[in-house]
Amino acid sequence: MEMPSIGFGLWKVAAEDCRATIAEAVRAGYRHFDCAADYGNEAAVGEGIAAAIAEGLCRREDLWITSKLWNTFHAPEHVEAACRKSLDDLGLDYLDLYLIHFPIALAFVPIEERYPPEWIHDPAADNPVMQRASVPLHQTWAAMEALADKELVRNIGVSNYNSALIHDLMTYARIRPMTLQIEAHPYLTQDKLVRLAKDYGLQVTAFSPLGALSYVELDMAGAGDTVLNEPCVTSAAAAHDKTPAQVVLRWALQRGTSIIPKSTNPERMRENLAIDDFSLSEDEMAAISALNSNRRFNDPGVFCELAFDSFHPIYD
Ligand code: NAP
């Protein structure tokens, strides 16, 4: 099965909403779901998937399910247990794609102690810290390959890697990464990284394809940071009788990236899928691409310091 180029993102979908959201998304036509241990909702997502299958809305083999290895499970001896926990929670016997969530290894926290472990090692301590672990990424990748050997996962890939890490990965990967998942939208086009990944044969998936919108509720962006009000976006929307969000998502597809927009609103879910009946012109594409200002909303080099008092840049 090929990965559908439009998937459904599950970050920040509350556990109690997952069942209805998944059913609605499957009814709308989504067959690709982007999950992660760190989203803290995989058990609820699993219930939603099971209910959608039981209701006859879809079959398992019609679905593309991605999950991600969390930072605290990078040590090779923890990778399979972390994957099996996601599989159990999701109620699946294989994943279509399993990604290393971040190129950041953090100290192990046992699943039975705290799950998902998130970023802070010892939240109950007087002085909680984000504790690094000394695990080279090539060891984590070898453990990911072992998951593919055991057919627990059909494809493996990486997320939040930069160009240097991709070059490095390609020197030792026995099983080639299928996908690179990165933040990408008109304010952060990452042209060189996208081009490099494609040169190596990786598919690129854009997360937060709508830009700032996802980060307003986290106080990591302001409402005024939205790309949806940019004149070149609104004028293209008017010209094609589409919404600004559809234009931005269409731009991402036309530049050759997959997208995984999240919405819990049934109308916006459908809106985000209905983008294959129009094309942006070369001029429209160029104008939207020219909005790039290298504005990154999801940056461990920023949020780890603000939220966890730990300086941990990975892109600089
Ligand atoms: P996003 O999908 O770009 O934006 C979601 C936000 O936009 C929500 O506030 C949503 O609100 C709103 N929205 C959705 N469709 C809209 C539309 N048509 N018009 C106006 N507003 C709209 O951001 P994201 O959730 O950050 O990214 C998508 C997925 O990427 C995530 O869910 C997750 O699966 C993945 N991701 C991966 C990483 C990683 O490190 N690998 C990091 C971040 C995200 P409503 O729900 O109210 O519609």
Side-chain angles (χ1 to χ4, degrees):
M1 182 185 176
E2 281 192 17
M3 185 175 82
S5 57
I6 307 177
F8 187 89
L10 283 149
W11 183 34
K12 296 194 256 95
V13 177
E16 60 271 25
D17 296 335
C18 280
R19 191 179 169 135
T21 300
I22 299 263
E24 193 65 44
V26 172
R27 265 190 223 103
Y30 289 92
R31 292 293 179 269
H32 164 184
F33 290 90
D34 185 76
C35 316
D38 189 51
Y39 300 164
N41 58 9
E42 284 192 325
V45 169
E47 285 171 22
I49 292 172
I53 293 173
E55 281 172 44
L57 297 175
C58 61
R59 302 168 305 167
R60 166 64 183 103
E61 54 270 36
D62 301 327
L63 298 176
W64 179 283
I65 309 292
T66 299
S67 184
K68 310 186 190 85
L69 176 77
W70 186 240
N71 304 344
T72 50
F73 302 116
H74 273 215
E77 63 272 24
H78 301 312
V79 170
E80 182 172 331
C83 178
R84 286 190 184 276
K85 170 68 174 153
S86 282
L87 284 170
D88 281 356
D89 281 355
L90 291 166
L92 304 175
D93 52 15
Y94 69 91
L95 291 169
D96 296 276
L97 177 62
Y98 199 44
L99 304 174
I100 296 180
H101 202 149
F102 282 96
I104 297 176
L106 294 178
F108 177 61
V109 176
I111 288 171
E112 51 285 4
E113 199 172 293
R114 194 173 77 246
Y115 192 86
E118 302 183 323
W119 296 84
I120 294 285
H121 185 64
D122 48 358
D126 288 344
N127 204 1
V129 291
M130 194 181 111
Q131 194 171 311
R132 295 184 183 126
S134 182
V135 185
L137 286 166
H138 70 85
Q139 288 187 2
T140 308
W141 187 255
M144 297 283 285
E145 291 173 327
L147 301 178
D149 292 340
K150 289 188 178 177
E151 299 183 358
L152 294 175
V153 304
R154 297 209 164 156
N155 297 280
I156 50 179
V158 293
S159 181
N160 297 301
Y161 272 39
N162 64 13
S163 296
L165 290 179
I166 296 287
H167 284 300
D168 191 48
L169 170 61
M170 298 312 289
T171 65
Y172 58 75
R174 172 174 63 83
I175 299 177
R176 294 169 72 87
M178 177 207 159
T179 303
L180 168 67
Q181 187 179 120
I182 49 167
E183 180 179 342
H185 43 72
Y187 288 155
L188 182 71
T189 56
Q190 307 221 58
D191 293 322
K192 288 182 190 150
L193 181 55
V194 169
R195 181 176 160 193
L196 179 81
K198 287 189 192 168
D199 280 356
Y200 275 127
L202 279 74
Q203 296 183 22
V204 179
T205 300
F207 76 66
S208 306
L210 295 167
L213 283 179
S214 175
Y215 298 91
V216 176
E217 65 189 280
L218 301 173
D219 285 333
M220 290 160 74
D225 294 325
T226 179
V227 69
L228 301 187
N229 295 335
E230 289 285 352
C232 63
V233 172
T234 54
S235 63
H240 295 281
D241 197 19
K242 289 284 173 181
T243 66
Q246 288 174 315
V247 166
V248 165
L249 296 175
R250 178 71 206 178
W251 166 86
L253 283 192
Q254 263 182 244
R255 72 194 288 255
T257 56
S258 306
I259 47 171
I260 43 174
K262 168 262 171 189
S263 179
T264 43
N265 173 298
E267 265 174 40
R268 290 195 284 275
M269 268 182 208
R270 286 179 168 73
E271 177 184 332
N272 295 346
L273 264 185
I275 56 172
D276 59 1
D277 56 353
F278 76 111
S279 287
L280 297 169
S281 69
E282 268 182 40
D283 286 349
E284 288 168 331
M285 286 295 292
I288 297 168
S289 298
L291 295 174
N292 181 42
S293 54
N294 301 320
R295 177 88 199 268
R296 192 186 290 281
F297 296 102
N298 193 322
D299 186 347
V302 175
F303 69 73
C304 287
E305 186 156 38
L306 288 174
F308 317 128
D309 197 20
S310 303
F311 183 52
H312 199 97
I314 58 171
Y315 302 115
D316 310 82

